[in-house]
Amino acid sequence: MPTVPARPPAVEQALALLREFGAEDIAHPGGTLLAHLHRVQARLAAWNARPVLRLAGLCHAFYGTDGFPTPLLPPDRREDLAAVIGDEAEAIVYLYASCDRKATYPLLGRPDAVFHDRFTGRAVDPGPQPRRDFAELSAANELDIAHFDAAFRARWGSDLLGLFTRLRDLLSAEAWRDCRTVLAPGDEPPR
């Protein structure tokens, strides 16, 4: 019988924190918030994302998001999450959670685009790696929701495909392929 590889300690600690703050009991398309977070992490792993991004994917909703306003922790407790998952993973979680989508998304494909922080109201340039992490995490999150929620996919699929088409240079080949498969099934892939 094959053995299942052990999870890294940070993943185990993150799962314990997610359970402590009730992620198993919060409804989310496809089941619970915890189930969604697991699937986002797994999708990132399937895309060969770096381990810190996978960990951030598991924790991406800790502060709530612009599209999911149910925080597990307030953003003024960032150090609590960083103590569990590390500073780099927590910074990805914060960037994702803090994004004011209405203000940020329209220009997001441009290399000089700024992120508008919905918690502080400030505009920041996160830099190339955080921008790539944000794009990949956004795709993994939205594709999971679109997979499980046909109404969401019907309402937002075209807009999301447009967004990810603009972000194509920031996405891995695997992420881009999944974007086309989930958001434009049967259509000619956009160029």
Side-chain angles (χ1 to χ4, degrees), residues 29-160:
T32 66
L33 177 59
L34 185 60
H36 164 70
L37 297 171
H38 271 293
R39 290 189 307 265
V40 169
Q41 179 192 31
R43 188 177 295 266
L44 289 165
W47 295 345
N48 297 309
R50 57 200 187 100
V52 71
L53 181 55
R54 296 176 200 179
L55 184 56
L58 178 63
C59 298
H60 76 269
F62 255 101
Y63 310 130
T65 70
D66 201 1
F68 187 75
T70 306
L72 302 176
L73 275 176
D76 65 353
R77 291 189 49 200
R78 292 181 64 184
E79 67 280 351
D80 294 347
L81 184 57
V84 172
I85 66 172
D87 291 337
E88 186 179 10
E90 189 282 331
I92 296 167
V93 170
Y94 182 84
L95 181 66
Y96 185 79
S98 70
C99 180
D100 177 333
R101 294 175 181 183
K102 186 175 180 182
T104 302
Y105 278 9
L107 300 176
L108 193 54
R110 294 176 32 183
D112 61 343
V114 295
F115 279 68
H116 297 270
D117 186 317
R118 69 187 181 100
F119 300 130
T120 67
R122 294 189 335 220
V124 299
D125 178 356
Q129 185 63 55
R131 193 179 300 279
R132 285 190 296 276
D133 291 338
F134 179 87
E136 200 91 346
L137 178 52
S138 295
N141 176 69
E142 301 298 351
L143 294 180
D144 181 70
I145 297 169
H147 177 79
F148 284 98
D149 187 336
F152 174 87
R153 188 173 55 252
R155 170 65 182 93
W156 297 107
S158 179
D159 290 344
L160 289 170

